[in-house]
Amino acid sequence: MRTLMISAAAGALSAGFAFASPGIDQLANQAGVSPNGYTQVQLIELLQAQRENDDARVRFIMSQAARTDVSRSAMGGATVSNDAQLAAAAGVAPGLYTTNELQRLITAKRNNDTQLVDFILSGQNRAEGNPASVVTPGQVQMAAILGVDASQYTLTELTQLYAEWVGNNS
C-alpha cells in the first residue's frame, strides 16, 4: 500500500512539470510565487522555510525553480516576464521584471526588507561589473606604481601585476 502511495505521489509530482494543478496553484499562491517551474515538494519546502523565516533556504529553493517562463534579450538587455499575477502581487507593472526578481521583491516586501526592495526596483541588481574601460581611483594608483596605463587592464590583471611586482621588489 505504501509503495502504491509513493508511486502515485511521484506520478503526481512528475505531472506537475507538464502543467500546474489546482493544488500546486494554491501552494504557489500561499508561497507568493508563480506555480510555473516549481514542484509540489519545492512549494511545500518553500512554505515551511517562509514560516521558519529561513531566508537562506527560501533563496535556495527559489533558485532551484525552473525558469522556463523568463526570456532575456541578448547580452543583458531588458528582461521580460509574462507573469502578470506575480507583478500585481509585487505591486509593479507587468513585463518589467523576471520571475525571480518578482519573487524576491514579494518576499522582500513581506519581510519589510526595504533595502532589497529598493535594490531590485532601482535595477542595480542588473548592473554589470566595471569593464576595463571604467577606471577606479584604486586602479589608477596601482597602475601608477606599476608604470602602466590603468585603462588597459582590469582590476584583476592589475592586482596580479602588482603581486608580481611586490614579489620581485622584496
Side-chain angles (χ1 to χ4, degrees):
M1 179 72 167
R2 184 178 169 133
T3 306
L4 180 62
M5 289 174 34
I6 291 172
S7 296
L13 286 177
S14 63
F17 283 113
F19 61 93
S21 71
I24 288 180
D25 288 344
Q26 185 176 7
L27 287 171
N29 188 34
Q30 289 173 356
V33 298
S34 168
N36 300 329
Y38 287 92
T39 65
Q40 184 176 10
V41 171
Q42 286 174 317
L43 290 168
I44 291 168
E45 289 177 353
L46 181 60
L47 285 167
Q48 183 179 1
Q50 288 173 342
R51 277 192 294 273
E52 295 171 359
N53 293 322
D54 188 350
D55 291 336
R57 198 163 126 222
V58 168
R59 285 190 302 273
F60 174 76
I61 294 166
M62 292 173 83
S63 74
Q64 299 303 305
R67 291 181 181 83
T68 58
D69 57 336
V70 175
S71 63
R72 289 188 180 265
S73 64
M75 302 306 290
T79 305
V80 178
S81 171
N82 295 324
D83 202 329
Q85 250 183 336
L86 271 181
V92 296
L96 300 177
Y97 299 94
T98 65
T99 300
N100 185 32
E101 288 170 328
L102 291 170
Q103 291 167 346
R104 290 178 62 205
L105 191 56
I106 291 166
T107 302
K109 285 183 175 184
R110 184 179 302 132
N111 295 336
N112 293 321
D113 186 348
T114 56
Q115 189 174 14
L116 181 57
V117 169
D118 292 343
F119 180 69
I120 295 168
L121 292 177
S122 71
Q124 290 177 344
N125 60 312
R126 296 181 186 179
E128 295 181 21
N130 288 344
S133 62
V134 176
V135 180
T136 65
Q139 287 173 288
V140 170
Q141 184 177 5
M142 210 180 304
I145 293 169
L146 297 168
V148 297
D149 180 4
S151 66
Q152 300 300 310
Y153 298 91
T154 65
L155 178 59
T156 302
E157 292 168 333
L158 285 171
T159 305
Q160 289 171 342
L161 288 172
Y162 183 76
E164 290 171 15
W165 181 81
V166 169
N168 292 334
N169 291 315
S170 40

